[in-house]
Amino acid sequence: MPGYAGQYKIVDSDTAWQDVQIPLMSGRDLGTLDISNIDGKEYLSNAGSIFISEKDMVNMYAGDNAICTIQENGYARWYTISQNDAGKTMTVNLPENASFAVYDEESCVYYSTVNGNQTVKLPENGKVVYIGEAPGDCFTITTK
């Protein structure tokens, strides 16, 4: 439908909101999509969640004692897995109350909160996310 993205009415180039109110529900559970650019990267916010644009993910550095630090905005850090690194194994030294997850092209294949902090094989065309509790949390990653 022109002027809509799914069920969201496009308000301007950075905002879309749901403009339907169901009787007796008073518009409960309706959301707003907000697009913002922070430090040259595009983010989408909706219902308390923040998503990074895939085009703004960079390849993860795969080597001994690589460092990933949660920045001042506190957002999780997303990386793509290069073709050269697919099939390698990754070990992560986690900060307290932090986690990481590995995704293949379709779904999450490993999540340290569920699986425990173990060595994980990096999938082809995959992604990795490091999730800290606070800015400054530092992950040490070794890939072999």
Side-chain angles (χ1 to χ4, degrees):
M1 197 152 101
Y4 283 79
Q7 72 270 25
Y8 292 87
K9 181 179 182 178
I10 299 170
V11 177
D12 59 36
S13 63
D14 295 326
T15 309
W17 51 273
Q18 292 173 305
D19 63 348
V20 175
Q21 287 195 8
I22 298 170
L24 303 175
M25 303 229 0
S26 300
R28 193 187 105 193
D29 298 333
L30 298 180
T32 300
L33 300 176
D34 289 305
I35 297 172
S36 58
N37 284 294
I38 301 170
D39 297 328
K41 295 181 179 182
E42 187 176 77
Y43 294 91
L44 173 83
S45 302
N46 182 23
S49 295
I50 301 170
F51 307 89
I52 188 170
S53 175
E54 190 169 334
K55 69 179 176 53
D56 289 322
M57 293 181 197
V58 297
N59 280 342
M60 179 183 78
Y61 170 75
D64 289 334
N65 298 316
I67 300 292
C68 174
T69 304
I70 300 300
Q71 302 300 301
E72 287 302 313
N73 60 19
Y75 295 171
R77 305 284 305 270
W78 283 89
Y79 296 91
T80 53
I81 298 168
S82 74
Q83 293 299 315
N84 293 337
D85 297 325
K88 292 182 180 179
T89 58
M90 177 177 72
T91 304
V92 179
N93 183 2
L94 291 172
E96 189 174 340
N97 298 321
S99 61
F100 74 99
V102 178
Y103 294 80
D104 65 12
E105 292 181 276
E106 296 180 13
S107 63
C108 182
V109 297
Y110 174 87
Y111 184 32
S112 64
T113 300
V114 174
N115 303 99
N117 188 11
Q118 303 172 14
T119 298
V120 62
K121 185 177 177 181
L122 298 174
E124 189 172 339
N125 298 317
K127 294 175 181 56
V128 177
V129 60
Y130 300 99
I131 308 153
E133 182 177 45
D137 281 354
C138 186
F139 300 76
T140 304
I141 303 111
T142 299
T143 308
K144 295 184 181 197

